[in-house]
Amino acid sequence: MNSVLQHDLNNFENILEKTKKQGIDFLNNLGNIPTSNKKSIDHSRELNELGLGSLAALEEFNARLAPLMVASSGPRYWGFVTGGSTPASIVGDWLTSIYDQNTQAVKAQGGVSALIEFETINLLLQLLELPKSFLGGFVTGATMSNFTCLGVARQWFGIQFGKDFAKNGISENLNIFSATPHSSSIKALSMLGIGSQNYTAIKTIEGNREAIDIVDLKKNIKSLNGKPFILISSAATVNTADFDDFEAISKLKEKYDFWWHIDAAFGGFAAVSDKYKHLVKGWEGADSITIDCHKWLNVPYESAFYLIKEQHTALQIETFQNSNAPYLGNPLENFNYLNVLPENSRRLRALPVWFSLLAYGKEGFQDIVENSVSLALDFGNALSNEGNFKLLAPIHLNNVCFTLKGEDNQEKVSQFLTNLNDTGKVFMTPTVYQDIKGIRASFVNWRTNKEDVVAVVNLMNSVFSS
């Protein structure tokens, strides 16, 4: 064994202890760590010949790289709908690295950690009150979840014409409808060879909404004269967290032949609250659903899952199977995730979620969701009462979309947000809503409280006046 590696092995406990202490210090001080910074490094560092060892590498990390880190898991990081790792999820994430499983098969000589993934999906279905007719698995984020679901939808569409798109390529123009799709769905269409522009934009409901206009959807469906199509709908749009009418779509599903996909990256968690579950009523009729865990479930990044109706499993295998790899076994005999997902190599992403669900239960996540929405409403009300800001849309759930008051201030929005984020005390993201420059704040972090909202509103007024 290499001498440096042998030394690390002999000193492993001390290495982990120092790392643990550093992690605890960071988390305990999270509220004081900047939410953004402008620091940089010379990234042309040359690789050393002999190796430093873990502790020396940790020292260099602290000197050069740690200053680049921001409080993206902190209470005032309100950009990108970013959650923060809970204690239980960190336990699960640490153990994921320690056990270092390649999670694939349910029955295999090489390991059966996929059973943990099966159980975790089952727990998530209970949390979201969805039927067991859905099967699911873990991917890196909403982009790959949308890619997986729409990949199977593409295969379904081809089958309607007797074509196998997975084997032979796309030979028909796909009919795709959506009103306010997330960019990750559009990206998935591009990666799937469908084309990022090859969808029909359905009108949105009048009255400052982002949800599908069902009347216009029906009009476009009728124009197809019975041809199949794919519908991409939203459980919480990215700007205003608006929801499509799933009950109305469910009724259309009874009458027309289409694949119904729901991007519920964060909005799906409305289902855990008695106050907000009406927003997803009827979503159980979908063919596929995308949900992120590193948002409202507050687990470490690179955690999302797909849900696809079990009746489509054969199509899913056709889309993703490793048919030319005999060493991987027959994809039709035993369930193996590498035959139903884009990735062949997969870490045990389910474990942080499993720990979180068992640690905090239904009530814990209901509290997180309802507290987040309450804080979003507090923030929105505070902005409405101020003279410097105005809401661009109603607050449907946990996103607040706003701008500077006064048309003459439109050109100042970007600079205001830059100045605000440069304080390092809060982080929000820019947006454009109905051709108006705006700012979006997302509330999903379990650490955020009322004091944070008050402090940020005061800071915003100070930055505006400066």
Side-chain angles (χ1 to χ4, degrees):
M1 183 184 293
N2 174 271
S3 61
V4 178
L5 188 55
Q6 180 68 63
H7 183 268
D8 272 2
L9 179 59
N10 296 339
N11 200 30
F12 210 178
E13 185 174 350
N14 183 40
I15 293 168
L16 292 181
E17 189 61 37
K18 286 183 178 293
T19 305
K20 182 189 77 172
K21 184 180 184 304
Q22 179 164 328
I24 291 172
D25 289 345
F26 179 85
L27 293 173
N28 284 343
N29 195 41
L30 198 53
N32 299 316
I33 295 170
T35 51
S36 64
N37 65 50
K38 294 183 177 180
K39 296 177 181 177
S40 185
I41 58 170
D42 177 2
H43 48 76
S44 61
R45 186 196 191 284
E46 293 186 6
L47 179 64
N48 47 295
E49 190 70 30
L50 299 177
L52 303 176
S54 293
L55 290 180
L58 181 61
E59 288 182 10
E60 181 168 333
F61 169 82
N62 289 334
R64 295 182 60 246
L65 307 187
L68 301 176
M69 304 299 168
V70 299
S72 57
S73 57
R76 294 184 301 281
Y77 195 92
W78 298 350
F80 308 115
V81 199
T82 303
S85 302
T86 57
S89 71
I90 292 174
V91 172
D93 200 59
W94 277 20
L95 291 178
T96 297
S97 295
I98 289 169
Y99 285 105
D100 198 18
Q101 304 292 294
N102 182 8
T103 307
Q104 296 293 4
V106 172
K107 296 179 182 178
Q109 289 182 320
V112 291
S113 58
L115 290 170
I116 297 172
E117 191 158 346
F118 262 54
E119 178 166 300
T120 307
I121 292 294
N122 174 53
L123 294 172
L124 286 165
L125 290 175
Q126 294 176 54
L127 178 71
L128 300 171
E129 298 184 0
L130 284 168
K132 292 186 177 181
S133 54
F134 282 103
L135 295 180
F138 283 83
V139 290
T140 55
T143 301
M144 289 313 297
S145 181
N146 282 325
F147 178 85
T148 301
C149 294
L150 293 173
V152 184
R154 183 190 66 176
Q155 185 71 354
W156 170 87
F157 189 93
I159 294 298
Q160 310 311 304
F161 295 92
K163 307 291 182 65
D164 187 336
F165 286 175
K167 285 184 178 179
N168 303 313
I170 300 174
S171 56
E172 300 283 342
N173 291 324
L174 277 72
N175 303 310
I176 300 175
F177 296 151
S178 189
T180 317
H182 188 267
S183 61
S184 63
S185 291
I186 303 304
K187 186 175 183 177
L189 296 181
S190 175
M191 293 190 295
L192 287 164
I194 297 170
S196 59
Q197 296 183 350
N198 288 335
Y199 74 95
T200 299
I202 304 299
K203 293 179 181 178
T204 55
I205 300 172
E206 292 184 1
N208 206 6
R209 296 285 304 278
E210 290 186 303
I212 285 174
D213 182 329
I214 298 297
V215 174
D216 190 55
L217 176 60
K218 289 179 180 178
K219 177 182 176 182
N220 278 274
I221 292 174
K222 289 179 180 178
S223 71
L224 294 177
N225 295 318
K227 294 179 182 178
F229 65 95
I230 297 168
L231 175 65
I232 303 173
S233 60
S234 299
T237 54
V238 68
N239 267 335
T240 66
D242 206 350
F243 285 71
D244 292 328
D245 187 340
F246 299 147
E247 288 187 283
I249 295 172
S250 294
K251 292 178 181 177
L252 293 175
K253 195 93 164 74
E254 297 172 1
K255 187 176 180 180
Y256 298 101
D257 186 24
F258 65 97
W259 180 285
W260 178 16
H261 174 63
I262 300 176
D263 185 337
F266 63 94
F269 287 105
V272 310
S273 167
D274 289 338
K275 292 182 180 180
Y276 304 110
K277 65 173 57 177
H278 67 276
L279 294 170
V280 294
K281 189 175 181 181
W283 73 327
E284 66 276 3
D287 293 286
S288 59
I289 302 174
T290 282
I291 301 182
D292 270 341
C293 297
H294 53 233
K295 289 185 168 65
W296 233 334
L297 206 62
N298 283 260
V299 304
Y301 243 93
E302 278 202 15
S303 182
F305 61 100
Y306 72 86
L307 294 173
I308 297 176
K309 283 288 177 60
E310 186 175 10
Q311 69 195 63
H312 301 307
T313 299
L315 293 174
Q316 198 170 353
I317 292 173
E318 289 175 9
T319 305
F320 295 109
Q321 66 180 301
N322 288 264
S323 56
N324 61 340
Y327 73 96
L328 296 175
N330 188 329
L332 300 177
E333 288 181 355
N334 293 312
F335 183 89
N336 193 319
Y337 272 114
L338 60 82
N339 289 315
V340 296
L341 284 172
E343 302 163 297
N344 280 6
S345 302
R346 306 168 64 248
R347 75 196 306 259
L348 185 51
R349 291 193 189 96
L351 199 55
V353 177
W354 185 91
F355 266 91
S356 300
L357 294 172
L358 265 66
Y360 308 122
K362 290 184 178 181
E363 186 173 310
F365 288 104
Q366 176 180 310
D367 287 347
I368 291 174
V369 168
E370 293 182 355
N371 181 62
S372 296
V373 179
S374 176
L375 293 172
L377 291 170
D378 287 348
F379 183 61
N381 289 334
L383 295 184
S384 297
N385 292 332
E386 295 289 339
N388 299 324
F389 311 98
K390 71 171 184 177
L391 297 182
L392 287 175
I395 299 173
H396 301 290
L397 197 65
N398 63 315
N399 279 3
V400 182
C401 192
F402 66 97
T403 191
L404 304 185
K405 187 175 289 186
E407 290 185 13
D408 55 329
N409 281 325
Q410 264 292 286
E411 296 307 314
K412 300 178 182 178
V413 172
S414 296
Q415 189 59 54
F416 167 80
L417 180 59
T418 298
N419 294 342
L420 181 67
N421 287 341
D422 280 350
T423 67
K425 296 178 181 179
V426 67
F427 182 80
M428 302 182 213
T429 48
T431 191
V432 175
Y433 183 71
Q434 296 184 351
D435 297 324
I436 299 174
K437 293 179 181 179
I439 300 169
R440 189 194 66 166
S442 299
F443 292 80
V444 290
N445 191 293
W446 63 282
R447 292 176 180 266
T448 309
N449 57 38
K450 289 180 179 294
E451 287 73 22
D452 292 311
V453 171
V454 172
V456 169
V457 172
N458 290 336
L459 177 64
M460 289 169 63
N461 282 319
S462 175
V463 170
F464 182 88
S465 301
S466 63

